[in-house]
Amino acid sequence: MSFLVAGNWKMHGLSDQLGELVAIAQYARTAAGTNDVLICVPATLIARAVAVSGGYLAIGGEDCAVEAAGAFTGDISAEMLKDAGADAVIVGHSERRRHHHETDAVVAEKAAAAGRAGLAAIICIGETQVQRDAGTALQDCAAQLEASLPADRRLLAGSAIAYEPLWAIGTGRTPNAQDVTEIHRHLRQLLTRLMGKDGDRIRILYGGSITPADVRTILILPEVGGVLVGGASLRAQDFNGIIRAAETVNLANVETEMSVPTPVPAHSRTTP
Ligand code: PGA
């Protein structure tokens, strides 16, 4: 499966930041293009981001309201993001959960709202440092994911999960390969149990202090379907390095699959 390389600009970016997006789109255009590239930007930039990316990138929002429309001053619905040209939206990012007290139930409703509007949801989950230290990260992440999924699973078509340990976001610290593998495998089992074959198709991204230098070590791990990148998505030079690394890993995977010897059918074997 190809990777999803996703950026999250958070509350960064005035008009002049769009120059970085242009440079990323130009790179994505010339790269091998075997992966999906998505940049989630502040709502104020979505329409212009769509215009300058020329179709070489998918553009997403960073949050959406539960409701489609109504008396909710300041909120932006999934339908509005779609109308502005977005393809996807992040829901349940830990910064939304922390600063805006979003519960798993609210996140599940937002993921449903995204699906209803035709947007792919990137549903974020992840353990705190306290949970990691207590040795309960696996159970905590699984419980958080199950409670953050919409009841109508059909709304999840094209969506992805982002596993982002809270202690790794913006800190320069990343979990080791074993911990990432363990969590991703556990989440995959959960998705398969809840959704059958449809659960196999949902990409599970890793997020938290990803840089061009270390992204490869994460992408080669089992059940890692891509990355969600914060700080390193703000500069084209860094983000293009991440796209390049993902292309390299993906092409190597394809070559490995192709080099597995195909058994010669009995009737075509020549007898010496
Ligand atoms: P970071 O952020 O890459 O800056 O750690 C990731 C995120 O919050 O999605």
PDB file of all heavy atoms in Angstrom, residues 100-125:
ATOM      1  N   HIS A 100      -9.502  22.383  23.873  1.00  0.00           N
ATOM      2  CA  HIS A 100     -10.943  22.591  23.637  1.00  0.00           C
ATOM      3  C   HIS A 100     -11.794  21.483  24.263  1.00  0.00           C
ATOM      4  O   HIS A 100     -12.966  21.359  23.944  1.00  0.00           O
ATOM      5  CB  HIS A 100     -11.214  22.712  22.127  1.00  0.00           C
ATOM      6  CG  HIS A 100     -10.490  23.873  21.511  1.00  0.00           C
ATOM      7  ND1 HIS A 100     -11.016  25.136  21.447  1.00  0.00           N
ATOM      8  CD2 HIS A 100      -9.243  23.965  20.985  1.00  0.00           C
ATOM      9  CE1 HIS A 100     -10.135  25.959  20.886  1.00  0.00           C
ATOM     10  NE2 HIS A 100      -9.050  25.269  20.597  1.00  0.00           N
ATOM     11  N   HIS A 101     -11.133  20.704  25.099  1.00  0.00           N
ATOM     12  CA  HIS A 101     -11.827  19.665  25.883  1.00  0.00           C
ATOM     13  C   HIS A 101     -12.666  18.729  25.018  1.00  0.00           C
ATOM     14  O   HIS A 101     -13.778  18.370  25.385  1.00  0.00           O
ATOM     15  CB  HIS A 101     -12.696  20.316  26.981  1.00  0.00           C
ATOM     16  CG  HIS A 101     -11.956  21.385  27.724  1.00  0.00           C
ATOM     17  ND1 HIS A 101     -10.884  21.093  28.560  1.00  0.00           N
ATOM     18  CD2 HIS A 101     -12.064  22.729  27.714  1.00  0.00           C
ATOM     19  CE1 HIS A 101     -10.387  22.224  29.036  1.00  0.00           C
ATOM     20  NE2 HIS A 101     -11.079  23.234  28.541  1.00  0.00           N
ATOM     21  N   GLU A 102     -12.156  18.376  23.873  1.00  0.00           N
ATOM     22  CA  GLU A 102     -12.906  17.462  23.001  1.00  0.00           C
ATOM     23  C   GLU A 102     -12.777  16.032  23.529  1.00  0.00           C
ATOM     24  O   GLU A 102     -11.681  15.538  23.749  1.00  0.00           O
ATOM     25  CB  GLU A 102     -12.374  17.546  21.563  1.00  0.00           C
ATOM     26  CG  GLU A 102     -12.692  18.870  20.916  1.00  0.00           C
ATOM     27  CD  GLU A 102     -12.274  18.931  19.442  1.00  0.00           C
ATOM     28  OE1 GLU A 102     -11.845  17.907  18.884  1.00  0.00           O
ATOM     29  OE2 GLU A 102     -12.374  20.029  18.887  1.00  0.00           O
ATOM     30  N   THR A 103     -13.915  15.397  23.714  1.00  0.00           N
ATOM     31  CA  THR A 103     -13.931  14.010  24.190  1.00  0.00           C
ATOM     32  C   THR A 103     -13.889  13.055  22.995  1.00  0.00           C
ATOM     33  O   THR A 103     -14.093  13.466  21.847  1.00  0.00           O
ATOM     34  CB  THR A 103     -15.225  13.746  24.971  1.00  0.00           C
ATOM     35  OG1 THR A 103     -16.322  13.960  24.059  1.00  0.00           O
ATOM     36  CG2 THR A 103     -15.364  14.668  26.169  1.00  0.00           C
ATOM     37  N   ASP A 104     -13.697  11.772  23.294  1.00  0.00           N
ATOM     38  CA  ASP A 104     -13.727  10.769  22.223  1.00  0.00           C
ATOM     39  C   ASP A 104     -15.063  10.810  21.488  1.00  0.00           C
ATOM     40  O   ASP A 104     -15.115  10.668  20.267  1.00  0.00           O
ATOM     41  CB  ASP A 104     -13.532   9.359  22.807  1.00  0.00           C
ATOM     42  CG  ASP A 104     -12.138   9.160  23.386  1.00  0.00           C
ATOM     43  OD1 ASP A 104     -11.215   9.917  23.007  1.00  0.00           O
ATOM     44  OD2 ASP A 104     -11.974   8.247  24.217  1.00  0.00           O
ATOM     45  N   ALA A 105     -16.151  11.003  22.243  1.00  0.00           N
ATOM     46  CA  ALA A 105     -17.484  11.006  21.623  1.00  0.00           C
ATOM     47  C   ALA A 105     -17.620  12.160  20.628  1.00  0.00           C
ATOM     48  O   ALA A 105     -18.185  12.002  19.537  1.00  0.00           O
ATOM     49  CB  ALA A 105     -18.564  11.105  22.704  1.00  0.00           C
ATOM     50  N   VAL A 106     -17.071  13.327  21.003  1.00  0.00           N
ATOM     51  CA  VAL A 106     -17.116  14.479  20.093  1.00  0.00           C
ATOM     52  C   VAL A 106     -16.258  14.198  18.859  1.00  0.00           C
ATOM     53  O   VAL A 106     -16.652  14.493  17.719  1.00  0.00           O
ATOM     54  CB  VAL A 106     -16.628  15.760  20.818  1.00  0.00           C
ATOM     55  CG1 VAL A 106     -16.371  16.898  19.842  1.00  0.00           C
ATOM     56  CG2 VAL A 106     -17.639  16.183  21.868  1.00  0.00           C
ATOM     57  N   VAL A 107     -15.106  13.590  19.074  1.00  0.00           N
ATOM     58  CA  VAL A 107     -14.218  13.273  17.951  1.00  0.00           C
ATOM     59  C   VAL A 107     -14.927  12.307  16.988  1.00  0.00           C
ATOM     60  O   VAL A 107     -14.862  12.465  15.764  1.00  0.00           O
ATOM     61  CB  VAL A 107     -12.879  12.684  18.454  1.00  0.00           C
ATOM     62  CG1 VAL A 107     -12.004  12.242  17.280  1.00  0.00           C
ATOM     63  CG2 VAL A 107     -12.142  13.711  19.313  1.00  0.00           C
ATOM     64  N   ALA A 108     -15.629  11.323  17.545  1.00  0.00           N
ATOM     65  CA  ALA A 108     -16.366  10.370  16.700  1.00  0.00           C
ATOM     66  C   ALA A 108     -17.428  11.105  15.869  1.00  0.00           C
ATOM     67  O   ALA A 108     -17.623  10.814  14.686  1.00  0.00           O
ATOM     68  CB  ALA A 108     -17.026   9.302  17.571  1.00  0.00           C
ATOM     69  N   GLU A 109     -18.080  12.086  16.494  1.00  0.00           N
ATOM     70  CA  GLU A 109     -19.101  12.856  15.753  1.00  0.00           C
ATOM     71  C   GLU A 109     -18.458  13.709  14.663  1.00  0.00           C
ATOM     72  O   GLU A 109     -19.014  13.896  13.587  1.00  0.00           O
ATOM     73  CB  GLU A 109     -19.869  13.760  16.718  1.00  0.00           C
ATOM     74  CG  GLU A 109     -20.876  13.010  17.565  1.00  0.00           C
ATOM     75  CD  GLU A 109     -21.765  13.986  18.318  1.00  0.00           C
ATOM     76  OE1 GLU A 109     -22.641  14.597  17.693  1.00  0.00           O
ATOM     77  OE2 GLU A 109     -21.546  14.163  19.533  1.00  0.00           O
ATOM     78  N   LYS A 110     -17.264  14.236  14.947  1.00  0.00           N
ATOM     79  CA  LYS A 110     -16.563  15.042  13.939  1.00  0.00           C
ATOM     80  C   LYS A 110     -16.106  14.166  12.777  1.00  0.00           C
ATOM     81  O   LYS A 110     -16.161  14.574  11.614  1.00  0.00           O
ATOM     82  CB  LYS A 110     -15.377  15.769  14.570  1.00  0.00           C
ATOM     83  CG  LYS A 110     -15.813  16.852  15.535  1.00  0.00           C
ATOM     84  CD  LYS A 110     -14.668  17.715  16.006  1.00  0.00           C
ATOM     85  CE  LYS A 110     -15.241  18.913  16.773  1.00  0.00           C
ATOM     86  NZ  LYS A 110     -14.261  19.978  17.000  1.00  0.00           N
ATOM     87  N   ALA A 111     -15.647  12.946  13.104  1.00  0.00           N
ATOM     88  CA  ALA A 111     -15.240  12.021  12.037  1.00  0.00           C
ATOM     89  C   ALA A 111     -16.451  11.675  11.167  1.00  0.00           C
ATOM     90  O   ALA A 111     -16.351  11.584   9.937  1.00  0.00           O
ATOM     91  CB  ALA A 111     -14.623  10.762  12.640  1.00  0.00           C
ATOM     92  N   ALA A 112     -17.600  11.507  11.812  1.00  0.00           N
ATOM     93  CA  ALA A 112     -18.829  11.224  11.061  1.00  0.00           C
ATOM     94  C   ALA A 112     -19.202  12.427  10.191  1.00  0.00           C
ATOM     95  O   ALA A 112     -19.609  12.267   9.029  1.00  0.00           O
ATOM     96  CB  ALA A 112     -19.972  10.897  12.026  1.00  0.00           C
ATOM     97  N   ALA A 113     -19.034  13.634  10.747  1.00  0.00           N
ATOM     98  CA  ALA A 113     -19.349  14.853   9.984  1.00  0.00           C
ATOM     99  C   ALA A 113     -18.463  14.943   8.749  1.00  0.00           C
ATOM    100  O   ALA A 113     -18.915  15.311   7.659  1.00  0.00           O
ATOM    101  CB  ALA A 113     -19.153  16.092  10.867  1.00  0.00           C
ATOM    102  N   ALA A 114     -17.192  14.581   8.905  1.00  0.00           N
ATOM    103  CA  ALA A 114     -16.256  14.609   7.770  1.00  0.00           C
ATOM    104  C   ALA A 114     -16.737  13.647   6.688  1.00  0.00           C
ATOM    105  O   ALA A 114     -16.834  14.023   5.508  1.00  0.00           O
ATOM    106  CB  ALA A 114     -14.853  14.235   8.246  1.00  0.00           C
ATOM    107  N   GLY A 115     -17.083  12.425   7.098  1.00  0.00           N
ATOM    108  CA  GLY A 115     -17.538  11.427   6.125  1.00  0.00           C
ATOM    109  C   GLY A 115     -18.803  11.868   5.412  1.00  0.00           C
ATOM    110  O   GLY A 115     -18.944  11.717   4.196  1.00  0.00           O
ATOM    111  N   ARG A 116     -19.706  12.474   6.173  1.00  0.00           N
ATOM    112  CA  ARG A 116     -20.979  12.959   5.621  1.00  0.00           C
ATOM    113  C   ARG A 116     -20.733  14.015   4.533  1.00  0.00           C
ATOM    114  O   ARG A 116     -21.413  14.067   3.527  1.00  0.00           O
ATOM    115  CB  ARG A 116     -21.763  13.566   6.792  1.00  0.00           C
ATOM    116  CG  ARG A 116     -23.147  14.095   6.521  1.00  0.00           C
ATOM    117  CD  ARG A 116     -23.647  14.826   7.766  1.00  0.00           C
ATOM    118  NE  ARG A 116     -22.869  16.013   8.050  1.00  0.00           N
ATOM    119  CZ  ARG A 116     -22.618  16.496   9.279  1.00  0.00           C
ATOM    120  NH1 ARG A 116     -23.086  15.884  10.341  1.00  0.00           N
ATOM    121  NH2 ARG A 116     -21.897  17.583   9.444  1.00  0.00           N
ATOM    122  N   ALA A 117     -19.664  14.830   4.746  1.00  0.00           N
ATOM    123  CA  ALA A 117     -19.370  15.909   3.794  1.00  0.00           C
ATOM    124  C   ALA A 117     -18.479  15.437   2.645  1.00  0.00           C
ATOM    125  O   ALA A 117     -18.148  16.215   1.757  1.00  0.00           O
ATOM    126  CB  ALA A 117     -18.684  17.058   4.536  1.00  0.00           C
ATOM    127  N   GLY A 118     -18.052  14.177   2.708  1.00  0.00           N
ATOM    128  CA  GLY A 118     -17.187  13.673   1.638  1.00  0.00           C
ATOM    129  C   GLY A 118     -15.714  13.980   1.863  1.00  0.00           C
ATOM    130  O   GLY A 118     -14.926  14.005   0.917  1.00  0.00           O
ATOM    131  N   LEU A 119     -15.331  14.215   3.109  1.00  0.00           N
ATOM    132  CA  LEU A 119     -13.915  14.442   3.439  1.00  0.00           C
ATOM    133  C   LEU A 119     -13.342  13.199   4.102  1.00  0.00           C
ATOM    134  O   LEU A 119     -14.034  12.502   4.843  1.00  0.00           O
ATOM    135  CB  LEU A 119     -13.770  15.603   4.444  1.00  0.00           C
ATOM    136  CG  LEU A 119     -14.248  16.988   4.025  1.00  0.00           C
ATOM    137  CD1 LEU A 119     -14.067  17.961   5.193  1.00  0.00           C
ATOM    138  CD2 LEU A 119     -13.462  17.484   2.812  1.00  0.00           C
ATOM    139  N   ALA A 120     -12.069  12.937   3.856  1.00  0.00           N
ATOM    140  CA  ALA A 120     -11.376  11.866   4.580  1.00  0.00           C
ATOM    141  C   ALA A 120     -10.993  12.410   5.947  1.00  0.00           C
ATOM    142  O   ALA A 120     -10.422  13.497   6.041  1.00  0.00           O
ATOM    143  CB  ALA A 120     -10.123  11.452   3.815  1.00  0.00           C
ATOM    144  N   ALA A 121     -11.316  11.683   6.999  1.00  0.00           N
ATOM    145  CA  ALA A 121     -10.933  12.137   8.349  1.00  0.00           C
ATOM    146  C   ALA A 121      -9.577  11.543   8.711  1.00  0.00           C
ATOM    147  O   ALA A 121      -9.295  10.385   8.393  1.00  0.00           O
ATOM    148  CB  ALA A 121     -11.979  11.692   9.359  1.00  0.00           C
ATOM    149  N   ILE A 122      -8.733  12.346   9.344  1.00  0.00           N
ATOM    150  CA  ILE A 122      -7.492  11.827   9.930  1.00  0.00           C
ATOM    151  C   ILE A 122      -7.763  11.850  11.438  1.00  0.00           C
ATOM    152  O   ILE A 122      -7.743  12.923  12.062  1.00  0.00           O
ATOM    153  CB  ILE A 122      -6.268  12.728   9.625  1.00  0.00           C
ATOM    154  CG1 ILE A 122      -6.195  13.114   8.142  1.00  0.00           C
ATOM    155  CG2 ILE A 122      -4.979  12.060  10.113  1.00  0.00           C
ATOM    156  CD1 ILE A 122      -5.848  12.005   7.212  1.00  0.00           C
ATOM    157  N   ILE A 123      -8.057  10.705  12.005  1.00  0.00           N
ATOM    158  CA  ILE A 123      -8.481  10.634  13.411  1.00  0.00           C
ATOM    159  C   ILE A 123      -7.253  10.409  14.293  1.00  0.00           C
ATOM    160  O   ILE A 123      -6.557   9.395  14.157  1.00  0.00           O
ATOM    161  CB  ILE A 123      -9.489   9.492  13.618  1.00  0.00           C
ATOM    162  CG1 ILE A 123     -10.681   9.669  12.660  1.00  0.00           C
ATOM    163  CG2 ILE A 123      -9.955   9.422  15.068  1.00  0.00           C
ATOM    164  CD1 ILE A 123     -11.623   8.471  12.622  1.00  0.00           C
ATOM    165  N   CYS A 124      -6.988  11.383  15.175  1.00  0.00           N
ATOM    166  CA  CYS A 124      -5.757  11.310  15.987  1.00  0.00           C
ATOM    167  C   CYS A 124      -6.027  10.707  17.365  1.00  0.00           C
ATOM    168  O   CYS A 124      -7.022  11.037  18.019  1.00  0.00           O
ATOM    169  CB  CYS A 124      -5.177  12.704  16.192  1.00  0.00           C
ATOM    170  SG  CYS A 124      -4.740  13.522  14.657  1.00  0.00           S
ATOM    171  N   ILE A 125      -5.102   9.863  17.775  1.00  0.00           N
ATOM    172  CA  ILE A 125      -5.139   9.289  19.121  1.00  0.00           C
ATOM    173  C   ILE A 125      -3.693   9.183  19.624  1.00  0.00           C
ATOM    174  O   ILE A 125      -2.758   9.317  18.839  1.00  0.00           O
ATOM    175  CB  ILE A 125      -5.788   7.886  19.143  1.00  0.00           C
ATOM    176  CG1 ILE A 125      -5.069   6.956  18.139  1.00  0.00           C
ATOM    177  CG2 ILE A 125      -7.254   7.933  18.793  1.00  0.00           C
ATOM    178  CD1 ILE A 125      -4.708   5.672  18.774  1.00  0.00           C
TER     179      ILE A 125
END
